[in-house]
Amino acid sequence: NLIITGNLSTKSFKSAVKKEFEMKDLGLMHYFWGIEVQQSEGEVFISKEKYASDVLKRFNMLNIKPTPTLVAIGLKLSKEDEGSFVDPTLLKKLVGSVMYLTATRPDI
């Protein structure tokens, strides 16, 4: 996959690339690697709203309520406490998805 960006005409660049490589021009980008792209004259808007929604669906978290903290205030943790089993593969997938989401959204 190749994304061409810039404010100059890309026709000459595309022609040069087509001479060297097999290439198909798909036009303006709309969705790439979880990033939605909306383009209009002179501006580009990117969003990960669909990706974030897909992550929430994948991990059955679509209907959860937001909270300012992840742990109950005043909770005492101990190694000896019995806890529920956590699937390490599922946890790694969740953490990886959130890391990718926040790579371009530091406000999350």
Side-chain angles (χ1 to χ4, degrees):
N1 294 330
L2 176 66
I3 300 172
I4 302 170
T5 63
N7 57 2
L8 301 174
S9 174
T10 58
K11 285 186 178 190
S12 61
F13 178 75
K14 287 180 187 178
S15 297
V17 171
K18 281 183 181 181
K19 288 179 186 176
E20 296 295 322
F21 303 98
E22 184 178 329
M23 184 176 114
K24 182 178 180 183
D25 187 353
L26 299 176
L28 294 177
M29 182 172 48
H30 299 285
Y31 194 81
F32 186 74
W33 286 353
I35 301 172
E36 297 169 83
V37 181
Q38 296 174 358
Q39 300 177 55
S40 61
E41 190 64 38
E43 62 185 11
V44 177
F45 176 77
I46 63 171
S47 168
K48 282 194 174 176
E49 183 176 347
K50 182 181 180 327
Y51 179 80
S53 177
D54 290 346
V55 168
L56 292 174
K57 287 177 193 172
R58 186 177 331 131
F59 296 103
N60 298 319
M61 301 173 84
L62 197 57
N63 295 318
I64 63 168
K65 295 179 182 176
T67 180
T69 59
L70 299 175
V71 180
I73 296 173
L75 178 67
K76 303 278 188 211
L77 300 175
S78 170
K79 293 191 298 187
E80 288 77 33
D81 286 346
E82 291 292 322
S84 58
F85 174 77
V86 175
D87 178 1
T89 302
L90 184 65
L91 180 62
K92 289 175 187 177
K93 288 180 181 180
L94 174 60
V95 170
S97 296
V98 172
M99 286 176 67
Y100 179 70
L101 178 63
T102 58
T104 56
R105 289 290 311 270
D107 59 317
I108 295 179

